[in-house]
Amino acid sequence: MKARPYLVALVLVVLVAGLLVVFRTPGGDPAQQQQRQDTSPQAAVEAGAGAGDPYYPADGNSGYDVRLYNLAITYDPGSQRLDGVATITATATDDLARFNLDLEGLDVSGVEVGGRPAKFAREGDHELVITPSAPVAKGGQFVTAVTYGGKPTTINDASLGRSGWQVSSTGGAFAAGQPHSATTWFPANDTPRDKAALKVAARVPDGWSVVSNGLEGEVTKDGGWSTFRWQEDTPLATYLVTVAIDRWEIVRSQLPGGTPVVDAYAPGTSAQKKPVQARLPEVLALLESKFGPYPQRAAGSIWVADQIGFSLETQTRPIYAAWADLETVVHENAHQWFGDSVTLRSWADICLNECLASYSQWLWAEHEGEDLDDRYRRELEQKRGSTRFWSPKLYDMGQGNEFRGVYDKGIFALHALRRQVGDDVFFPALRSWTAQHRDGNASWPQFEDHVAKASGQQLDGFFQAWFHDSGIPGDQYLLPGVLRR
């Protein structure tokens, strides 16, 4: 994700004012909250307590592993109503007497597990607790079908504005945001730890069209309605799932290696944004030279006409705000490696996504001729006395602080790391990292161990100063290698 610059400043204003970032909290009485915040695997299975992320303890469920979300939705832009059936194929990782899915606001009219009706109840802010007619045994595959509908909600976040399901200024709608967005339009195991394949069949009135993740499928028409189909077989985290409905102008092409590209432009955006998006093959070629082969089966873009507070790396096809530029395209496509293919394990690991994607913006500037060492030294002199710049931690920064520092201090930290270990270590380490963890999850401490092993250096002090501590690092870490003149 790349935040609009003025909203990065807004985060600081919000924090200084002592406001809390909006996040999910368990509902119910104190005893119930205490029970639900127990993040042990057994508690997650029995009480829907979550998947184990300490920042969002009520998110997800550790009792099963989703393999496929098969979503059939109907959306009417006129009434802004969405109706859907989510068919979810999963494998039980424990014996399940009951389990939960996350769903924001929408009404559920029926649930089946294994083709048989199941009991269900809503708990807290976002949990759909399901009790199948018979327990599911550990290791067993089971299929859950949830029928639901209503007017989707939007999540209002104090740091990045509106996310989740959003009605667009052009009359359509789109879903985007992190750490939460998917559950505003379908029930999900809403944790990055549970990545799954995706199928979407989205039915809209004729004249509207739908774009989602992955490969484009057949479009069918019936009775004044059109159904658009998309499929992403590469596992993806729920916050990287999107659906976007508008009167799109669609441009189809291919990358030099044959990877299909689908670009979607909302009304009024194509004249300005097509020249930017046309540089995607050049952008991906540079990123491949640094990070390894492009890890996705498709590529492209979704350009909305709205001044939302961020652009987002929705897998294979990023969503771009109206303000997005070429630097944003570089950032969101770097996420196809860092965040989408290799997904963080916990939100404390967000630097794995944002620091690396933000540094790709500097790599693009270097590609276009800029001397990054000169830039680093010049900007360092400007920022030496800035408490605001140096105070955020880049790892385990605390819930609500995930997006402080990673877009600016994170760039400096990675350039310093590059100079500490040298290019002959830094870039091969990035390529081996993306290869080893492709389509999986990883943590920031694992990344530190990976780079240290690749370099043969003792880097504990460096990582502590730059990523674990608050404040400006000492000069030995601030100006390593050729940065010290």
Side-chain angles (χ1 to χ4, degrees):
M1 178 167 66
K2 187 169 187 288
R4 193 172 188 178
Y6 79 80
L7 283 167
V8 175
L10 177 60
V11 176
L12 301 169
V13 174
V14 170
L15 290 168
V16 170
L19 298 176
L20 293 175
V21 174
V22 174
F23 65 98
R24 299 179 179 184
T25 56
D29 59 40
Q32 182 188 37
Q33 290 187 11
Q34 183 177 8
Q35 180 189 36
R36 287 161 55 95
Q37 290 175 359
D38 179 355
T39 58
S40 66
Q42 186 62 30
V45 173
E46 294 299 323
D53 192 312
Y55 289 5
Y56 301 96
D59 283 6
N61 188 293
S62 64
Y64 59 92
D65 177 19
V66 177
R67 303 298 183 183
L68 172 67
Y69 293 101
N70 192 345
L71 310 177
I73 64 170
T74 295
Y75 183 72
D76 181 3
S79 65
Q80 299 179 7
R81 180 179 175 84
L82 181 144
D83 291 286
V85 177
T87 304
I88 303 166
T89 303
T91 301
T93 57
D94 210 325
D95 294 330
L96 295 176
R98 67 174 190 160
F99 59 93
N100 73 301
L101 293 163
D102 300 296
L103 182 65
E104 302 270 357
L106 295 168
D107 297 322
V108 175
S109 57
V111 177
E112 293 183 353
V113 177
R116 301 176 64 182
K119 295 179 180 178
F120 61 92
R122 306 301 288 268
E123 292 184 3
D125 293 335
H126 59 88
E127 289 186 357
L128 173 65
V129 180
I130 298 169
T131 304
S133 59
V136 180
K138 180 179 179 179
Q141 182 170 287
F142 63 103
V143 177
T144 302
V146 181
T147 302
Y148 61 98
K151 188 173 182 179
T153 58
T154 299
I155 299 169
N156 289 295
D157 189 289
S159 63
L160 290 171
R162 295 164 63 86
S163 63
W165 188 271
Q166 301 187 58
V167 175
S168 62
S169 60
T170 48
F174 59 92
Q178 65 175 346
H180 310 114
S181 66
T183 54
T184 61
W185 66 283
F186 70 94
N189 192 24
D190 198 23
T191 169
R193 301 181 184 194
D194 192 358
K195 301 170 69 170
L198 173 73
K199 289 183 179 180
V200 175
R203 180 173 173 263
V204 292
D206 289 346
W208 298 89
S209 56
V210 182
V211 181
S212 185
N213 309 83
L215 299 176
E216 190 175 16
E218 180 185 15
V219 180
T220 56
K221 295 180 179 292
D222 180 35
W225 293 77
S226 300
T227 300
F228 295 81
R229 294 172 176 83
W230 294 86
Q231 182 166 335
E232 170 61 332
D233 290 337
T234 303
L236 71 171
T238 49
Y239 79 93
L240 299 171
V241 178
T242 190
V243 66
I245 299 156
D246 215 317
R247 301 182 187 276
W248 301 109
E249 179 183 345
I250 302 291
V251 177
R252 298 172 179 85
S253 60
Q254 288 185 344
L255 296 176
T259 299
V261 179
V262 176
D263 297 312
Y265 301 92
T269 65
S270 63
Q272 182 182 12
K273 301 306 183 182
K274 278 183 179 179
V276 177
Q277 186 63 21
R279 301 193 70 180
L280 178 66
E282 182 185 357
V283 168
L284 291 179
L286 172 68
L287 298 178
E288 282 192 311
S289 74
K290 305 298 184 182
F291 306 150
Y294 181 63
Q296 309 298 343
R297 297 157 50 88
S301 59
I302 302 171
W303 292 88
V304 301
D306 300 81
Q307 295 289 357
I308 57 175
F310 58 88
S311 295
L312 185 68
E313 62 271 18
T314 43
Q315 190 159 310
T316 69
R317 196 157 291 110
I319 285 185
Y320 296 106
W323 51 264
D325 54 12
L326 180 58
E327 188 178 76
T328 311
V329 172
V330 174
H331 181 107
E332 303 308 340
N333 280 281
H335 275 307
Q336 302 306 311
W337 285 263
F338 300 106
D340 293 20
S341 178
V342 184
T343 302
L344 50 71
R345 176 166 172 77
S346 297
W347 288 101
D349 303 309
I350 189 64
C351 194
L352 281 178
N353 294 14
E354 299 300 346
C355 295
L356 286 154
S358 296
Y359 189 61
S360 73
Q361 300 165 203
W362 274 33
L363 296 178
W364 180 260
E366 185 176 48
H367 169 70
E368 298 211 309
E370 185 165 7
D371 186 313
L372 294 186
D373 293 341
D374 284 349
R375 179 174 180 175
Y376 180 96
R377 295 187 196 100
R378 182 177 65 252
E379 294 189 16
L380 176 60
E381 290 308 307
Q382 297 170 358
K383 300 180 189 302
R384 271 190 180 271
S386 172
T387 302
R388 182 208 68 80
F389 183 85
W390 297 106
S391 62
K393 294 171 60 178
L394 295 176
Y395 169 66
D396 200 11
M397 61 289 292
Q399 193 279 328
N401 298 314
E402 297 96 312
F403 301 108
R404 296 182 64 218
V406 291
Y407 299 116
D408 43 25
K409 181 183 174 183
I411 296 176
F412 272 58
L414 284 175
H415 191 66
L417 177 61
R418 177 182 172 185
R419 291 303 180 231
Q420 173 70 37
V421 302
D423 281 7
D424 58 342
V425 170
F426 183 74
F427 290 111
L430 294 184
R431 290 191 287 271
S432 59
W433 172 261
T434 60
Q436 289 175 20
H437 297 282
R438 182 168 178 163
D439 300 338
N441 296 84
S443 70
W444 180 259
Q446 285 179 297
F447 182 77
E448 291 185 357
D449 291 344
H450 179 84
V451 175
K453 182 178 180 180
S455 70
Q457 296 183 28
Q458 171 55 257
L459 295 176
D460 289 355
F462 181 95
F463 284 124
Q464 185 69 38
W466 270 109
F467 296 93
H468 296 259
D469 289 347
S470 177
I472 188 169
D475 279 354
Q476 72 270 36
Y477 304 124
L478 198 63
L479 294 166
V482 298
L483 291 174
R484 185 182 297 275
R485 294 191 299 191

